[in-house]
Amino acid sequence: MSLEQKINDQIKTAMRAKDADTLNGLRAVKSAILLAKTAKGAGDELTEDQEIKILSKLAKQRRESAQLFRKQDRVDLAEQEEKELKVLEQFLPAQMSEEDITTTVKDIIQQLGASSMADMGKVMGTASKQLAGKADGKVISGIVKQLLST
């Protein structure tokens, strides 16, 4: 079952349950999928990687918005963003722990023969592809910087 079909089924369930928070999160995902499918040059179906990329982007937006709202003492808006984030996280692959990310990045550094900060771009490119949807880019970047600077 494709992500779009799962979303549609969940929307129906949320509508029956009158769960507005879940419904808002699901509709955001559906909207993003439809936009991606109708974009110029896009095919009729999205690949799993494209779907994960869309979900990751939406989750990142929600996370950043919630942080911003908390800094501005707008707890009501922050909580709304966090509720929608929980809905999005149901469809994302499980996030890797920092230890697992560090191990993967060490392997990448060894494969590429990277030794200094000048090689950060190569390492980040490879790491971002391998860990797409499984780890946050900021976490990956921090680990790469830490490992290359030592």
Side-chain angles (χ1 to χ4, degrees), residues 3-146:
L3 177 65
E4 189 173 13
Q5 291 171 327
K6 289 178 188 176
I7 297 294
N8 287 332
D9 290 345
Q10 296 255 348
I11 285 174
K12 290 174 190 172
T13 305
M15 288 174 86
R16 287 186 191 116
K18 295 182 172 53
D19 185 355
D21 296 328
T22 302
L23 195 56
N24 287 338
L26 292 170
R27 284 182 173 158
V29 175
K30 184 175 180 178
S31 173
I33 289 172
L34 288 174
L35 284 172
K37 285 175 71 173
T38 58
K40 199 169 198 167
D44 288 343
E45 290 296 317
L46 296 175
T47 64
E48 189 174 335
D49 289 341
Q50 290 171 318
E51 291 172 343
I52 289 173
K53 193 177 279 189
I54 290 169
L55 288 171
S56 296
K57 181 180 176 182
L58 292 173
K60 181 180 178 184
Q61 288 172 347
R62 298 297 184 280
R63 243 181 251 110
E64 290 173 353
S65 294
Q67 287 175 347
L68 185 65
F69 289 141
R70 290 223 182 264
K71 285 181 185 176
Q72 296 173 348
D73 292 328
R74 294 296 311 266
V75 179
D76 55 330
L77 295 174
E79 288 174 352
Q80 178 66 32
E81 293 292 326
E82 289 165 352
K83 288 175 185 175
E84 289 182 19
L85 177 62
K86 286 181 183 175
V87 172
L88 294 172
E89 287 175 342
Q90 295 173 9
F91 301 102
L92 282 169
Q95 296 292 300
M96 294 174 67
S97 69
E98 283 198 35
E99 295 169 1
D100 293 338
I101 296 169
T102 303
T103 304
T104 304
V105 170
K106 283 180 181 177
D107 292 343
I108 292 169
I109 289 172
Q110 191 174 27
Q111 289 171 359
L112 297 174
S115 59
S116 68
M117 289 298 288
D119 299 321
M120 185 166 174
K122 289 192 290 187
V123 175
M124 278 301 296
T126 306
S128 295
K129 286 179 186 170
Q130 280 189 18
L131 302 174
K134 300 176 190 169
D136 185 40
K138 287 182 182 179
V139 175
I140 297 170
S141 176
I143 291 172
V144 170
K145 284 179 186 174
Q146 178 186 6

